[in-house]
Structures are given as structure tokens and as C-alpha cells.
Amino acid sequence: MRKSLSILLTALVLVGCANRGVGPQGGPKDSIPPTAVKSVPENGTVNFTGRRIEITFNEYIQLDNISANLLMSPPQQRPPDVKARGKRVLIQFTDSLRDSTTYTIDFGDAICDYTEKNPIHGYCFGFSTGPTIDTLETTGVVLDAENLKPRKGIIVGIHDDLSDTAFTKLPFLRIARTDSMGLYRIANMHAGTYRLYAVDDVSRDNRLTPGESVAFAEHTITVTAPDTAATDSLPAHRDTLYLFMPQQQRLYLQRTTRDEQHRIRIAFSTGPDSLPTIRPLIDSLNYNTYFSRNNDTVTLWLLDSASIRPDSLYFEVRYRRTDSLFHLEWATDTVLARWRAPRLSAKAQAAQERNRRNRRLVIKTNASKNFELYDTLRLTAATPLAFIREEAMHLYERKEKDTVDHPVPFTIAPHDTLPLQLLFVAKLEPGKKYELCLDSAALTDVYGITHVAGSYSLTLKTPEDYSTIRVTIEPFDPSMRIQVLNGREQVLQEQSAQSDGALFRYLKPDAYYLRMYKDVNGDGKWTTGSWDDKRQPEKVYVNPTKIQTKSNWDFEETWTYDAQ
């Protein structure tokens, strides 16, 4: 018995020792980033002639996405090799350093502690290869020119070469990267006069490359040493740069798809300035060609079984495309439109064949019991229409307890060059009920297929279902255009400013915001900037006040925009 008790006590002691880590563990989670305690050479050293820098921290560290975070100014063709070793960061230069130059190594958020990955935000190391280290700086913010939102990760740089060609031919003299608030700080500058630029440096060459977003200060900036008698702090020049995408867009043949056996789409990256030509590389191909509204997509509808049957069809496409310098040139490509039939069982194939024989033209409308007052009644077909019999279409007003049809006159207009959608233009009154009736075979598509007879009901809303916003701007400027945006920042309505206030009608009860731009060229739309013409984008103003509307309410907003 005593022997068994001794064994039991020993086992309990061993279990207790093995579980000492169970239960409450330590204190609160570590949220303090590492701290640099020493470096060789020291931060801010001068007359540096070495090839290596070693920085020691107070705890074990790791590097997070160092290639994206690290920024060296002036930029080098070959970035330094940076590694983490225990509590140290080792920097080995792979490119030669300039004489008498101040260098800044900005680690961004790359240096983190080893356990919790707490980053040191914006840690910088500076040194000079000459007898002095430059200490001046310029700071500012980069905003999206169209919506004034801060832009993160944008390269901001300076040139002491004041010619316009420096931005596109030479790498920046000194650079910085914007943070999440769009703020930048170009440090360790020498006194002088500079040109200031910003670029979404996709090419990573520290200069402007065609196709990149850009911003530039209209005037040179001058950075001077402080008057020590007047202040103890260093002066910092501050600028707001408005980043814009130039109008030029790369034009190229994007893709060819054949998602239906009888339909082929050839898509371009943007609308071309001249229509492309499509030539099939097969004789007797029977098809119709339709272009989208902005001509960026060509749709080919194959019209007979001999044209639809081949799985692979080749086309020669001649179109305009941009070269590396964004010059337009004619190009000819051969594209393949391949149909891959889905694998079906014999039973499924038989059902598919029955459906094909009994196919009817599918028609949809936007008719509803809450039809918007500002909307137009639309009818959409699944395939292009070949014949439209207006006499087989009828629009009636339906009155309560009235069995008599009340015809409403209307006209039909195609929605675009592709005859898939029809617009019914009619005078419809608020709050009333209507019915669109289609006799059988009122519409026939290019395959000779018709639809079954049908009717579609709609009830118009009333003005009381909406709210109205009147916007007056101070000071009044007739060149201003005001936009009403929803919570997703989509433009719902836009008008020119009016001296007695721009009136926005038929707004659903919701939260809205206001944005405005100065329409300098008078084309009725916001115009981006141009580096080639040295033209800034049209100036934008944003009203941060949320306007919460209600049904049957009129709201008035006076916007003193020049106070922002």
C-alpha cells in the first residue's frame, strides 16, 4: 500500500511539473515595435566610405516585404542587399555611392519584431559620403485629382534639372513614398531650387513612363536653410499634388471569346479612334457584325448552321494599337474563336435538342410596380432583332374598375447599334398603371425565331416618393458643375451651377454627398490633366457633409467651397 501511494505521489508531482505552462500566461500582448540601440556607422555619419551598414535593435527582428518597403534616396540602379540576422539588420551596397552626397534609407514598415510582427513605422537611416549631411526637407500630400482621396504608395521625387525632359529621361534626384494618408517627406535635401513630381511608378524606374498616373507642381520649389536667429526648427516646404491618369490609354486587342456557339466577341482595351475590320479566314461564313456603344467590343452573330457548326474559326483583325511610346499604328492579327461544347449525357443531349427545336425568343422588360418617373420603358431581346412589327405592340393605361382599354401613343427607338434593346417613348403620368402587350411574332430575331404573346405591367411612382436637393454655391461660378453621389460614390445626377441654385429632382430617400469641378474647357465633363501639354486636371471640390433625404422633402444646401 505504502509503495503504491509513493508511486501515485511521484506521478502527480511529474504531471504538475509537466503542466507548469498551463493556466494564465504572462501579461498583455506585446504591441511595442523594436527600437534601434546602435549602428555601425552611426545614423547621420559623414565621410562614409564603406560598403556595409549594421543596425542593432533591442529585440529579435524580421523583415516584412523588404523589396516593396525599402526606398533609397537618391535611388540606385541596383538596390542594396538587406537581411535580418537575430537583432541586427545588415545592409550591403551592390552599387557605387556618389561622392559628397547625402543618402537616406527609408525602411517603411519592413522592420518588425520577431514574435508579434509589430513594425517600426517610417524608420530611416541617413549618412553622407561627404563632410556634411544635408538636413533640409520638403513635405506635402498626394491626392487623387478626381475625388481628392489620399493616394498611398506613390513615388514623389525632385529634380534640380529644371527642364521638362528630366522627368521622362532621368531618374529622380531624391525620392519619397506616400503613406496611407497620402503624406510624403523628402528628407536630407540640399538648399536649392527644384521641380517636384509624383508618379505611380509601375515600371519602378523612378521616372515617368507612358501609361502611369502623374502629378506635378506648376512652379518650382525653393528649399533654403533656416534663419537660426528667428527659429530653432527647420523650415519645410509643403505642397499638394493632384495625381491624374492622362487621357492616353493603351489600345490593344484584349481577347476573343466564344461563350455561345453562334456568338463571337472580339474585345479591345478601349474604344479605338477608327473602326477595326474583321475578315473571316473561311469562305461563305454567314454572320452579322455589331459594335458596342464606344466601339471597344465587336460581336459576330453566326447566322446559319454551316457557319455555326465549325468548332474553330479564324479571323484576320486589322485595328489601331499603341506602341511603347503611345503612338497609334495599324496592326493586323489573326485570332481564333474556338467553341468547346460541354460534355453531356445522351439524355441531356436529347433534351437540349428538343429545347433547340422548340426555342422561343426570350424577352425581358424593366416594367415594375415601382417604375421610376425619370425612367424609360425598355424591352430587351436575348438575340439581335431582324423584324419589328409595331402594329403588334400595344400600350394601355389601366384604370381601376374599368374594363375598357385606353391606348397610349408611343414611338419605338433602338437603344444602340446592336438591335437587342428597344425604347418605348411615351407620355406616362405619375401614379398611374400601364400595361405593355405584345402579340405573338411582334418581334423576330436574326434566326427567324419569334416569341410567345405576353404582357408586362408597370405602375409609376409619384413625385411624393422622391426628395429634392437645391444646391447653391458661394461664390457663384457658372463654370462649376455639381454632382450628387450616393454612398458608393457613384454619380447619380450632374448639373451646371445656377445663380438661384441647381435643382436635383427625383432622388430616392437615401444619404447623398456633393462633389463639384470647374469645367474649364466647357465640355460638360471632368477633364483629366496632360503632362505633354503641362495642363493640370480640372479642379475638384468635395463637400464632406452627408445629406440624408426623406420622401416628399425639399432640401437646400449652401456650399461655401472656397472656405475648404
Side-chain angles (χ1 to χ4, degrees):
M1 176 70 77
R2 282 196 295 269
K3 185 176 180 181
S4 299
L5 182 60
S6 176
I7 293 173
L8 178 60
L9 290 173
T10 302
L12 290 173
V13 169
L14 290 174
V15 170
C17 291
N19 288 278
R20 284 184 179 179
V22 178
Q25 296 292 308
K29 181 179 178 180
D30 178 20
S31 61
I32 301 175
T35 302
V37 293
K38 69 175 182 177
S39 64
V40 180
E42 293 183 0
N43 197 347
T45 194
V46 296
N47 295 318
F48 179 77
T49 58
R51 305 289 299 174
R52 173 186 172 100
I53 293 174
E54 181 178 307
I55 308 171
T56 304
F57 295 85
N58 64 337
E59 58 180 310
Y60 289 98
I61 55 95
Q62 60 177 312
L63 297 177
D64 181 32
N65 199 7
I66 186 66
S67 61
N69 274 287
L70 187 74
L71 201 67
M72 187 166 178
S73 184
Q76 293 187 297
Q77 289 186 346
R78 291 177 296 168
D81 182 31
V82 182
K83 291 184 173 62
R85 291 286 186 270
K87 296 182 180 181
R88 299 173 299 159
V89 169
L90 306 179
I91 306 165
Q92 183 72 41
F93 296 107
T94 58
D95 206 351
S96 58
L97 301 176
R98 305 176 194 171
D99 294 334
S100 300
T101 301
T102 299
Y103 283 87
T104 307
I105 305 175
D106 185 347
F107 290 89
D109 295 338
I111 303 176
C112 313
D113 65 32
Y114 193 79
T115 55
E116 301 294 343
K117 213 173 182 179
N118 298 308
I120 309 176
H121 296 294
Y123 176 74
C124 293
F125 187 94
F127 64 92
S128 175
T129 56
T132 60
I133 189 164
D134 296 322
T135 56
L136 301 179
E137 64 182 43
T138 184
T139 64
V141 63
V142 177
L143 304 177
D144 190 297
E146 191 169 4
N147 55 35
L148 302 189
K149 287 189 173 182
R151 290 295 302 268
K152 179 183 178 181
I154 301 301
I155 297 298
V156 184
I158 57 171
H159 278 296
D160 56 4
D161 183 339
L162 305 184
S163 65
D164 292 336
T165 57
F167 190 21
T168 56
K169 302 296 184 183
L170 303 173
F172 286 127
L173 182 65
R174 300 197 71 80
I175 58 175
R177 184 186 286 118
T178 59
D179 62 14
S180 59
M181 300 298 293
L183 300 172
Y184 67 87
R185 172 177 170 265
I186 304 178
N188 299 117
M189 291 177 60
H190 186 73
T193 299
Y194 303 93
R195 289 280 188 186
L196 179 66
Y197 307 94
V199 61
D200 187 7
D201 193 21
V202 178
S203 58
R204 296 191 177 186
D205 57 0
N206 295 299
R207 70 190 77 185
L208 177 63
T209 302
E212 294 175 337
S213 298
V214 59
F216 59 94
E218 292 191 69
H219 307 289
T220 59
I221 63 170
T222 300
V223 182
T224 58
D227 182 358
T228 55
T231 179
D232 293 332
S233 61
L234 294 175
H237 190 278
R238 300 180 185 276
D239 270 287
T240 299
L241 298 175
Y242 297 97
L243 194 79
F244 63 89
M245 174 60 76
Q247 193 64 48
Q248 55 183 217
Q249 296 185 48
R250 195 172 294 281
L251 175 58
Y252 56 92
L253 198 159
Q254 199 168 48
R255 61 183 174 272
T256 301
T257 57
R258 191 178 178 185
D259 53 351
E260 297 285 350
Q261 193 171 7
H262 58 278
R263 182 178 64 198
I264 298 168
R265 287 194 176 103
I266 301 174
F268 298 88
S269 59
T270 187
D273 63 342
S274 301
L275 290 179
T277 57
I278 314 293
R279 186 177 70 86
L281 300 184
I282 185 175
D283 294 333
S284 304
L285 193 69
N286 189 13
Y287 66 97
N288 283 347
T289 303
Y290 300 102
F291 291 90
S292 61
R293 181 177 293 274
N294 63 347
N295 298 323
D296 65 347
T297 303
V298 185
T299 303
L300 308 178
W301 293 87
L302 307 177
L303 299 179
D304 55 38
S305 57
S307 301
I308 295 173
R309 188 178 302 111
D311 292 338
S312 298
L313 292 172
Y314 290 89
F315 297 86
E316 182 183 87
V317 183
R318 180 168 170 77
Y319 64 101
R320 298 269 279 172
R321 71 180 176 192
T322 51
D323 60 17
S324 59
L325 299 177
F326 272 77
H327 298 146
L328 283 170
E329 61 182 10
W330 282 100
T332 301
D333 286 338
T334 299
V335 301
L336 168 63
R338 176 173 292 164
W339 165 248
R340 298 183 184 276
R343 294 184 178 180
L344 301 174
S345 65
K347 183 177 181 180
Q349 288 180 356
Q352 188 181 69
E353 183 59 30
R354 285 195 303 272
N355 292 335
R356 186 180 293 112
R357 288 195 302 266
N358 300 323
R359 187 170 72 86
R360 291 292 181 265
L361 178 61
V362 178
I363 293 175
K364 296 180 180 180
T365 77
N366 63 333
S368 70
K369 63 179 180 180
N370 290 308
F371 197 81
E372 305 291 350
L373 277 177
Y374 52 81
D375 207 350
T376 302
L377 181 60
R378 299 187 301 273
L379 183 149
T380 304
T383 49
L385 300 174
F387 301 103
I388 302 171
R389 296 173 54 224
E390 291 192 29
E391 68 276 10
M393 302 182 186
H394 315 278
L395 183 62
Y396 301 108
E397 179 189 347
R398 297 301 189 193
K399 297 182 179 181
E400 296 292 338
K401 300 179 181 180
D402 191 346
T403 58
V404 178
D405 289 336
H406 299 272
V408 177
F410 64 91
T411 58
I412 297 177
H415 183 58
D416 51 30
T417 57
L418 181 62
L420 288 170
Q421 191 172 94
L422 303 178
L423 303 182
F424 290 79
V425 182
K427 186 178 180 180
L428 305 181
E429 299 183 30
K432 292 189 175 181
K433 297 181 180 180
Y434 298 89
E435 188 171 15
L436 174 65
C437 299
L438 302 183
D439 297 341
S440 59
L443 303 172
T444 306
D445 72 3
V446 292
Y447 302 106
I449 305 297
T450 61
H451 58 90
V452 296
S455 60
Y456 310 90
S457 300
L458 62 149
T459 303
L460 265 67
K461 289 184 176 181
T462 66
E464 290 73 23
D465 294 320
Y466 300 93
S467 58
T468 300
I469 300 177
R470 183 185 296 274
V471 182
T472 304
I473 62 170
E474 294 182 354
F476 173 68
D477 184 343
S479 68
M480 293 293 190
R481 289 188 64 84
I482 306 169
Q483 299 172 329
V484 174
L485 286 67
N486 62 15
R488 297 184 298 277
E489 298 189 20
Q490 298 169 321
V491 178
L492 301 180
Q493 293 188 36
E494 179 175 326
Q495 292 187 33
S496 296
Q498 304 294 326
S499 58
D500 58 347
L503 191 61
F504 297 92
R505 302 177 185 271
Y506 304 131
L507 294 169
K508 301 176 184 178
D510 204 348
Y512 298 98
Y513 298 87
L514 301 177
R515 189 167 69 197
M516 181 172 64
Y517 63 91
K518 188 175 179 65
D519 188 17
V520 177
N521 60 6
D523 63 352
K525 60 183 180 181
W526 181 79
T527 303
T528 189
S530 169
W531 166 249
D532 293 336
D533 299 331
K534 308 303 178 288
R535 187 188 71 244
Q536 295 285 352
E538 290 180 339
K539 189 170 179 58
V540 171
Y541 303 85
V542 174
N543 189 336
T545 304
K546 179 174 72 173
I547 302 176
Q548 183 67 51
T549 65
K550 298 180 181 180
S551 298
N552 200 27
W553 276 48
D554 295 334
F555 295 82
E556 294 194 2
E557 179 75 15
T558 300
W559 183 1
T560 309
Y561 61 91
D562 61 351
Q564 294 179 316

